[in-house]
Amino acid sequence: MKAQADLGDTQKGRASFYSPNFDGRQTYFGEIFNSDELTAAHRSLPHNTMVEVTNLANKRTVVVRINDRGPFTQNKNRLIDVSKAAASKLGLVSHGVADVVIRVIGMEGMVLLAPHETVLQSTGEIISTLIKKAVTTTTGSNRGPK
């Protein structure tokens, strides 16, 4: 991903979660890290980018706010470090790492895309991916007792 995030951008890789030793430490962006918040570290996404993370093994998702840089490991396939709270929601605490897809869904701490929405890259238009079902109603003179 580029240093600037575009709504709807996706990336695939591995997620891990912060060691408990980081609780209370300062993040790259100057915040105090709290493992109970839904936050994450990414190497290049801007501060306060909102990201939907999906665990590919169990399809569980969580929305996190980028508030740190990382992960900084030798494994270049490591895409994102999430807080323990986020890791719990993703079901990756017992495994430590998981294959994930991340999707940029907001900026400046605000969620701008719903799970069923996507962005047309050609126009930037946000569209729904829900299939609208036709609703049929019957009308007649027999409406039951009054």
Side-chain angles (χ1 to χ4, degrees):
M1 286 203 172
K2 10 183 203 319
Q4 175 196 328
D6 290 328
L7 217 49
D9 278 353
T10 61
Q11 193 174 17
K12 195 174 186 179
R14 295 194 45 89
S16 55
F17 67 97
Y18 282 87
S19 159
N21 298 339
F22 285 97
D23 220 17
R25 290 190 185 177
Q26 192 170 342
T27 69
Y28 176 86
F29 295 110
E31 296 182 28
I32 301 301
F33 177 73
N34 180 343
S35 61
D36 294 328
E37 294 178 355
L38 298 176
T39 59
H42 189 275
R43 286 187 187 95
S44 62
L45 288 176
H47 183 230
N48 286 329
T49 299
M50 302 300 291
V51 177
E52 176 186 70
V53 183
T54 302
N55 182 336
L56 294 175
N58 61 20
K59 305 301 182 217
R60 291 168 72 177
T61 65
V62 67
V63 174
V64 297
R65 181 177 60 84
I66 301 299
N67 75 336
D68 200 6
R69 286 284 178 243
F72 297 110
T73 69
Q74 298 293 3
N75 184 345
K76 294 300 179 193
N77 196 26
R78 197 70 56 87
L79 175 63
I80 193 167
D81 270 341
V82 298
S83 64
K84 188 162 186 185
S88 294
K89 290 188 180 290
L90 289 168
L92 71 86
V93 172
S94 61
H95 300 289
V97 296
D99 291 323
V100 297
V101 170
I102 66 170
R103 180 173 78 119
V104 175
I105 62 168
M107 295 159 192
E108 298 301 323
M110 296 179 291
V111 173
L112 303 171
L113 280 183
H116 65 274
E117 293 178 325
T118 190
V119 177
L120 289 179
Q121 295 303 318
S122 58
T123 63
E125 179 183 6
I126 296 173
I127 60 168
S128 175
T129 57
L130 290 178
I131 297 172
K132 294 183 180 179
K133 295 181 181 179
V135 178
T136 57
T137 59
T138 57
T139 58
S141 58
N142 186 5
R143 297 186 184 230
K146 293 188 179 195

